[in-house]
Amino acid sequence: MHDFKELFLSKLPGPINRFAADTITFAEWLNATFQKLIGLYQTIEAFRDINKANGKALDRIGDQFNQQRGSADDDFYRIMIRSKQATNMGNSTINGLINMIARSLDIQPDKIRIESLRQYENGTLNDGEPLAIRISNIPLEWTRSDFEQNYILERIKNGVAAGVRVDEVSFVDNSNAVLSVRGLTSATITYEVKGEEQ
């Protein structure tokens, strides 16, 4: 914290008695006023940060990216805004998609896996769909409700290159249970839940 009292007193010209009671009282009032201003500016600066803003301040950040809140709370709305930022970058490569998911959820990208359904097995190409991918290891704790899961799935679908189909997305929680969401290009989404093996 800046001490404007001492700064003010040190700048007074010689004829003014810096130790007079009235001078010290004025310097203390000036210091208190400046401390309030510093607090206000720090709050304004914090509300410009997506990780610190909340409520209407966060809504204004979302408006800058044309991302409406809907029924999302502040925590998930931050994810929505970050995902919109990442999608707007327009990088639809594998690394771009991984970075989009990681940036959206504010997680490390090294654990997210993207695999093609058509792969080489023992030197021969299997008969998997050539332009279909499987995405796994997305942390489930960031997608608690159906609204949140569906939002992330739509954002992933919109982030892939044209012509590429997302066949499966797997969310993983801390207890190693897996929630698989299949058939994302169809209207039906089937959840397959696998519990932790004992």
Side-chain angles (χ1 to χ4, degrees):
M1 297 290 281
H2 299 284
D3 191 348
F4 287 100
K5 174 184 172 184
E6 291 304 318
L7 179 64
F8 172 75
L9 292 174
S10 69
K11 300 294 184 184
L12 289 175
I16 299 177
N17 181 3
R18 60 176 294 187
F19 301 107
D22 289 343
T23 306
I24 292 175
T25 300
F26 178 70
E28 289 172 346
W29 172 84
L30 193 63
N31 184 56
T33 301
F34 274 111
Q35 295 304 335
K36 288 178 184 176
L37 283 175
I38 289 173
L40 176 61
Y41 283 123
Q42 287 173 338
T43 301
I44 291 170
E45 186 66 27
F47 274 14
R48 291 180 177 163
D49 183 345
I50 191 173
N51 294 317
K52 296 178 183 174
N54 53 50
K56 291 185 178 180
L58 191 58
D59 289 341
R60 289 194 181 105
I61 295 174
D63 289 343
Q64 294 174 5
F65 297 96
N66 198 24
Q67 178 61 64
Q68 302 305 312
R69 178 188 288 267
S71 61
D73 60 11
D74 283 349
D75 289 336
F76 192 75
Y77 192 39
R78 289 185 185 93
I79 291 173
M80 294 169 68
I81 295 170
R82 283 195 296 262
S83 70
K84 191 67 178 283
Q85 288 174 319
T87 303
N88 287 348
M89 295 173 72
N91 186 351
S92 57
T93 64
I94 294 292
N95 286 339
L97 187 57
I98 289 174
N99 287 332
M100 186 271 289
I101 296 169
R103 185 173 174 186
S104 299
L105 301 176
D106 198 21
I107 59 174
Q108 293 299 318
D110 56 351
K111 298 195 175 172
I112 299 171
R113 295 188 58 201
I114 298 181
E115 302 172 298
S116 172
L117 294 191
R118 177 172 280 185
Q119 298 179 356
Y120 280 95
E121 297 173 353
N122 300 324
T124 59
L125 195 61
N126 66 20
D127 59 355
E129 187 179 341
L131 291 178
I133 59 174
R134 174 185 303 119
I135 304 172
S136 58
N137 293 348
I138 298 177
L140 185 61
E141 59 263 27
W142 295 110
T143 52
R144 300 168 300 252
S145 69
D146 287 343
F147 165 77
E148 293 172 353
Q149 291 168 13
N150 290 332
Y151 178 85
I152 292 296
L153 295 175
E154 282 301 315
R155 185 60 70 207
I156 290 170
K157 283 170 55 178
N158 293 334
V160 299
V164 175
R165 186 176 71 82
V166 180
D167 180 70
E168 176 184 321
V169 176
S170 297
F171 297 91
V172 181
D173 70 14
N174 291 330
S175 65
N176 295 324
V178 176
L179 175 65
S180 297
V181 183
R182 301 177 182 272
L184 301 184
T185 56
S186 66
T188 304
I189 298 177
T190 304
Y191 296 90
E192 176 186 337
V193 179
K194 299 176 182 177
E196 182 179 8
E197 293 183 5
Q198 299 296 327

